[in-house]
């Protein structure tokens, strides 16, 4: 029956797919011919060149021999494929066994460890590195134990609680190395005349100086020296107003030119103003212009008087404009003090109106309110506002502090 089937199949020149379908319908699964029905194995395992070679051989064989050879080769391919699959399964199985053994090895090593101590046993181990979980914070306290930079800043006297409110400054100090990043700036500040006891104050007032390029800082010092500022003048500027060094040279030059041009100051006067009040040079220009307008237009001081006020009491431009106007109004309209007298002692404009009013009215009760320098019992405006209440009673009012306190109760 098989030989007839061979003749029938190849006499009609059937393709492989038809042969497979015919065998699967008519041959038992236990038969060897059934293995030839897997068309996928034939396609995957036999290349095109092999198929062409087989076709050439088939042309030289009779039909029965061709079919027998095909069946034999397919069986060999199936057996080799099964062998590969079995090898892959064995390898994966061995890997799984290796992993299991690895886990067993770890478990056995853990079993070898010593038994943990009980909760009431005495502990001789150093546990100082263990610390509680701390949530994110915006102060230096969390990092004080681990950061050498923070510890050194505390030793220098830096008031960290004043600068930790700025998150940018907080992150900057935590990222800096004290020896590498901060020491060169401290050396530079020392060369500029900042004393060791004043370093803490300087860094507290200008912590962002460590973000400046140190060559730019040297250029700003050289600018002052070029404009005939002496070494002592520079030391005074840097110690009085630490933020000065954070201003670019072009801005400083522009501001100095503004004061020199608008108030007709010469070189010595502009240097005197800068040393006397360096904060004014770096102050908000809009507020400076508003204060200048108030002094000239609202209060009525002329150019010369305004210049005298600027050189003697530059903080008048820094104080709030409304407060200065209140003090001037009481001086000029209530106490009848002239513009000339005020410009001679302009520091009186910095005094609070309430303080000035209390002392003036007390002198009125004593009949000692004499502010004309050409007459006897003259009371200087500067003495009127200076010192504490005890000094005022002793040097100006010439009465006891007890009398002044009783007067204040009726004020």
């Amino acid at each position: 029956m098989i030989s007839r089937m061979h003749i029938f199949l190849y006499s009609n020149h059937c393709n492989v797919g038809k042969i497979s379908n015919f065998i699967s319908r008519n041959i038992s699964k236990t038969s060897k011919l059934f293995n030839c029905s897997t068309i996928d194995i034939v396609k995957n395992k036999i290349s095109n060149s092999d198929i062409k070679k087989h076709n050439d051989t088939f042309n030289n064989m009779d039909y029965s021999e061709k079919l027998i050879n095909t069946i034999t080769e397919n069986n060999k391919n199936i057996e080799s494929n099964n062998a590969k699959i079995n090898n892959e399964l064995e390898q994966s199985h061995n890997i799984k066994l290796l992993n299991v053994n690895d886990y067993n090895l770890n478990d056995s090593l853990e079993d070898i460890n010593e038994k943990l101590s009980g909760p009431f046993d005495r502990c001789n181990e150093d546990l100082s590195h263990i610390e509680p979980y701390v949530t994110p914070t915006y102060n230096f306290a969390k990092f004080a134990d681990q950061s050498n930079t923070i510890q050194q800043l505390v030793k220098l006297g830096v008031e960290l609680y004043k600068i930790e409110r700025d998150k940018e400054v907080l992150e900057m100090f935590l990222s800096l190395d004290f020896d590498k990043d901060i020491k060169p700036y401290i050396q530079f500040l020392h060369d500029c005349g900042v004393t060791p006891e004043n370093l803490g104050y300087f860094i507290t007032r200008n912590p962002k100086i460590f973000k400046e390029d140190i060559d730019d800082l040297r250029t700003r010092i050289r600018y002052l020296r070029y404009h005939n500022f002496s070494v002592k003048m520079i030391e005074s500027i840097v110690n009085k107003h630490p933020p000065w060094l954070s201003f670019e040279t072009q801005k400083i030059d522009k501001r100095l030119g503004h004061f020199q041009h608008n108030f007709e100051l010469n070189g010595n006067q502009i240097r005197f103003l800068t040393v006397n009040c360096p904060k004014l040079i770096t102050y908000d220009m809009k507020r400076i212009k508003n204060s200048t307008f108030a002094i000239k237009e609202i209060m009525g001081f002329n150019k010369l008087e305004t210049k005298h006020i600027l050189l003697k009491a530059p903080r008048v431009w820094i104080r709030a404009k409304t407060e200065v106007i209140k003090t001037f109004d009481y001086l000029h309209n209530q106490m009848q003090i002239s513009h000339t007298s005020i410009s001679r002692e302009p520091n009186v404009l910095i005094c609070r109106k309430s303080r000035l009013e209390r002392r003036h009215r007390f002198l009125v009760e004593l009949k000692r309110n004499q502010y004309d320098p050409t007459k006897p019992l003259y009371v200087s405006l500067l003495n009127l506002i200076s010192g504490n209440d005890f000094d005022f009673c002793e040097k100006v009012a010439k009465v006891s502090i007890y009398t002044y306190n009783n007067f204040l109760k009726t004020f």
Side-chain angles (χ1 to χ4, degrees):
M1 178 180 175
I2 295 174
S3 62
R4 292 178 183 176
M5 192 179 300
H6 295 171
I7 296 169
F8 171 75
L9 291 173
Y10 282 94
S11 63
N12 292 311
H13 301 284
C14 297
N15 58 23
V16 179
K18 292 181 180 180
I19 296 171
S20 177
N21 293 334
F22 177 83
I23 294 174
S24 61
R25 289 195 303 268
N26 298 285
I27 305 300
S28 171
K29 290 184 178 181
T30 59
S31 172
K32 293 183 178 180
L33 291 176
F34 183 78
N35 293 327
C36 297
S37 63
T38 312
I39 187 92
D40 293 331
I41 295 175
V42 174
K43 287 182 179 181
N44 293 330
K45 300 301 178 181
I46 302 176
S47 62
N48 293 333
S49 60
D50 292 334
I51 292 172
K52 186 177 180 181
K53 189 185 293 184
H54 285 303
N55 290 336
D56 295 335
T57 3
F58 279 143
N59 294 331
N60 300 324
M61 295 181 182
D62 56 30
Y63 296 132
S64 60
E65 289 177 352
K66 289 178 180 179
L67 182 59
I68 292 170
N69 290 334
T70 302
I71 294 170
T72 306
E73 289 177 3
N74 288 338
N75 286 335
K76 289 180 181 180
N77 291 331
I78 292 169
E79 290 175 0
S80 62
N81 188 40
N82 290 336
K84 290 180 180 179
I85 293 171
N86 290 332
N87 290 333
E88 292 176 358
L89 290 174
E90 288 177 3
Q91 290 177 1
S92 63
H93 181 66
N94 292 335
I95 291 172
K96 290 180 179 179
L97 288 176
L98 182 61
N99 292 335
V100 171
N101 292 332
D102 186 37
Y103 295 141
N104 293 335
L105 179 61
N106 291 335
D107 292 338
S108 62
L109 289 175
E110 290 178 359
D111 294 336
I112 295 173
N113 291 337
E114 296 180 0
K115 185 179 179 181
L116 295 175
S117 57
F120 298 103
D121 294 346
R122 184 179 182 83
C123 180
N124 297 322
E125 185 181 356
D126 182 15
L127 303 178
S128 60
H129 62 283
I130 300 176
E131 58 184 9
Y133 174 75
V134 182
T135 55
T137 181
Y138 292 99
N139 58 54
F140 290 104
K142 177 181 177 181
F143 312 99
D145 291 338
Q146 291 82 17
S147 175
N148 177 58
T149 301
I150 302 302
Q151 294 171 7
Q152 297 300 327
L153 291 175
V154 171
K155 292 178 181 179
L156 290 175
V158 181
E159 298 172 290
L160 297 176
Y161 70 93
K162 291 185 178 181
I163 62 178
E164 65 188 3
R165 289 172 290 183
D166 190 340
K167 184 181 177 182
E168 183 180 353
V169 173
L170 178 69
E171 294 176 351
M172 178 193 69
F173 276 126
L174 293 176
S175 63
L176 293 178
D177 180 80
F178 184 81
D179 294 331
K180 180 181 177 182
D181 302 320
I182 295 181
K183 271 189 176 180
Y185 288 86
I186 293 178
Q187 182 63 48
F188 168 78
L189 294 176
H190 182 267
D191 295 339
C192 293
V194 180
T195 57
E197 56 272 13
N198 201 36
L199 273 174
Y201 170 79
F202 186 98
I203 297 173
T204 303
R205 291 287 308 279
N206 187 17
K208 293 185 180 180
I209 191 174
F210 300 108
K211 299 182 72 174
E212 301 285 342
D213 188 271
I214 200 162
D215 291 332
D216 292 340
L217 298 178
R218 293 191 178 99
T219 301
R220 291 161 194 172
I221 297 297
R222 286 196 293 268
Y223 168 83
L224 295 176
R225 291 290 293 146
Y226 177 78
H227 286 83
N228 298 324
F229 284 84
S230 65
V231 174
K232 290 187 177 181
M233 287 180 177
I234 296 174
E235 291 177 357
S236 177
I237 292 171
V238 173
N239 282 281
K240 281 184 179 179
H241 189 53
W244 176 281
L245 289 175
S246 294
F247 282 81
E248 297 177 358
T249 306
Q250 294 84 350
K251 290 184 178 180
I252 295 294
D253 185 70
K254 184 177 180 181
R255 288 164 181 261
L256 292 176
H258 169 82
F259 285 101
Q260 188 170 15
H261 174 74
N262 286 277
F263 297 97
E264 300 178 357
L265 304 177
N266 57 35
N268 291 330
Q269 289 172 339
I270 194 66
R271 281 188 287 271
F272 174 81
L273 175 65
T274 303
V275 175
N276 190 24
C277 188
K279 183 178 180 179
L280 179 63
I281 308 301
T282 62
Y283 204 60
D284 183 12
M285 288 300 300
K286 184 177 180 180
R287 294 188 63 178
I288 289 175
K289 291 178 180 179
N290 290 337
S291 296
T292 303
F293 177 83
I295 292 171
K296 287 183 176 181
E297 305 299 333
I298 298 177
M299 301 180 198
F301 290 98
N302 58 36
K303 285 186 177 181
L304 184 60
E305 292 168 346
T306 303
K307 181 178 179 179
H308 289 164
I309 295 173
L310 177 67
L311 293 175
K312 290 186 176 182
R315 296 190 67 85
V316 172
W317 272 257
I318 297 176
R319 190 174 182 235
K321 180 184 68 174
T322 54
E323 297 300 320
V324 174
I325 293 175
K326 287 179 183 179
T327 302
F328 169 80
D329 180 66
Y330 189 81
L331 280 168
H332 186 64
N333 297 320
Q334 299 297 325
M335 298 174 59
Q336 301 299 315
I337 308 297
S338 65
H339 286 80
T340 305
S341 299
I342 296 174
S343 63
R344 287 199 196 102
E345 298 179 287
N347 284 294
V348 70
L349 293 172
I350 304 174
C351 179
R352 296 190 307 272
K353 177 195 170 185
S354 58
R355 179 188 180 94
L356 178 65
E357 184 179 4
R358 288 195 303 266
R359 294 189 176 185
H360 168 69
R361 290 182 62 177
F362 183 63
L363 292 181
V364 170
E365 291 293 328
L366 298 175
K367 301 187 184 307
R368 298 183 61 89
N369 55 321
Q370 207 288 95
Y371 306 112
D372 188 353
T374 61
K375 296 180 181 179
L377 300 177
Y378 164 69
V379 175
S380 168
L381 293 178
L382 184 60
N383 292 335
L384 178 65
I385 63 171
S386 300
N388 53 33
D389 290 342
F390 182 83
D391 295 332
F392 166 73
C393 293
E394 182 182 6
K395 297 178 181 179
V396 179
K398 308 296 183 180
V399 295
S400 66
I401 188 67
Y402 177 77
T403 305
Y404 181 64
N405 289 336
N406 287 335
F407 167 77
L408 292 179
K409 293 177 183 178
T410 62
F411 184 72

